[in-house]
Amino acid sequence: MDSEQAQETIDSLRAGMETRGRIGMALGIVMTKFDLTDDTAFDYLRRLSQHNNVKMRDVAEGLIAEHVDACRSVPVAV
């Protein structure tokens, strides 16, 4: 394996780890919001992905963005 191939492998692994982390965050949001188990929450994300014909990582990013926006709209007591 030459250095270019090695770098491509490293980049691919990093992207996979980041995607996995973001899907995990979305799972946590769904589990909390709907009081679901991790397996049921994963099935929910999978169905959203398939129904909308988008990648699961994109579904996860959308849910995370919605959650962040919702949190920003909650007033903070000072």
Side-chain angles (χ1 to χ4, degrees):
M1 178 182 292
D2 64 21
S3 64
E4 186 175 320
Q5 289 174 321
Q7 188 59 48
E8 287 174 8
T9 300
I10 290 168
D11 293 343
S12 176
L13 290 171
R14 280 190 181 131
M17 287 173 34
E18 184 176 321
T19 295
R20 185 177 190 153
R22 300 298 280 180
I23 290 172
M25 289 175 72
L27 283 172
I29 292 167
V30 170
M31 289 169 64
T32 302
K33 186 174 183 177
F34 300 114
D35 193 28
L36 301 174
T37 65
D38 56 347
D39 289 336
T40 307
F42 186 83
D43 287 341
Y44 175 80
L45 290 181
R46 184 183 46 77
R47 285 192 313 269
L48 280 176
S49 171
Q50 290 175 343
H51 179 74
N52 295 306
N53 197 28
V54 296
K55 294 186 180 199
M56 190 178 290
R57 70 172 176 250
D58 295 333
V59 170
E61 289 298 336
L63 286 169
I64 293 167
E66 287 176 13
H67 181 73
V68 168
D69 289 345
C71 289
R72 287 187 178 144
S73 67
V74 175
V76 178
V78 185

